Amino acid sequence: MIMDVSLISQFSDYPSISFQVDDVPVVVGRSSHANVQVTHPLVSRMHCELCCVDGRLFLKDLASTNQTIVNGQPATETEVYPGDEILIGGVAYRVKLEPQDAMAESLAVR
């Protein structure tokens, strides 16, 4: 299953990020090799990864220097839900999820 993920920035200096996730992890980090780049000095080159398993979104910290914080708690590996706040380095994001199957179903109902 593919899931549309939006990380809504809580800081005006950093844009919100939207991308698709499936069973192949999407790496978030400062490096140009990361799938999703966040150019903040407290973000590690390969900071964390997001992966969709059975329609659920999971986050894994990649031994980042400044940790990944989910809802105020350091996270090494955790499930992420809509509305959760993720702090990646020094940038806070609010999670918004949309499974693609749900989008297809809502279009078919119309």
Side-chain angles (χ1 to χ4, degrees):
M1 171 185 263
I2 297 172
M3 184 175 289
D4 288 323
V5 176
S6 294
L7 299 179
I8 310 302
S9 178
Q10 303 300 293
F11 300 117
S12 60
D13 293 349
Y14 291 89
S16 297
I17 305 165
S18 294
F19 51 94
Q20 292 185 327
V21 177
D22 57 17
D23 58 342
V24 176
V26 171
V27 176
V28 178
R30 201 177 68 243
S31 170
S32 62
H33 298 291
N35 303 103
V36 176
Q37 285 186 286
V38 179
T39 56
H40 185 279
L42 296 178
V43 174
S44 294
R45 285 174 286 177
M46 300 294 199
H47 198 97
C48 63
E49 66 183 20
L50 295 157
C51 185
C52 182
V53 178
D54 296 326
R56 297 162 50 196
L57 185 66
F58 290 89
L59 178 144
K60 179 180 180 183
D61 184 79
L62 299 175
S64 63
T65 302
N66 293 301
Q67 300 181 316
T68 304
I69 309 296
V70 177
N71 297 324
Q73 300 297 315
T76 53
E77 195 164 346
T78 189
E79 186 170 358
V80 179
Y81 300 94
D84 282 355
E85 185 176 89
I86 300 175
L87 184 64
I88 301 172
V91 186
Y93 295 99
R94 181 82 49 203
V95 177
K96 181 178 176 187
L97 304 177
E98 183 83 36
Q100 283 209 337
D101 289 350
M103 287 175 46
E105 287 174 21
S106 69
L107 291 174
V109 171
R110 293 182 183 178

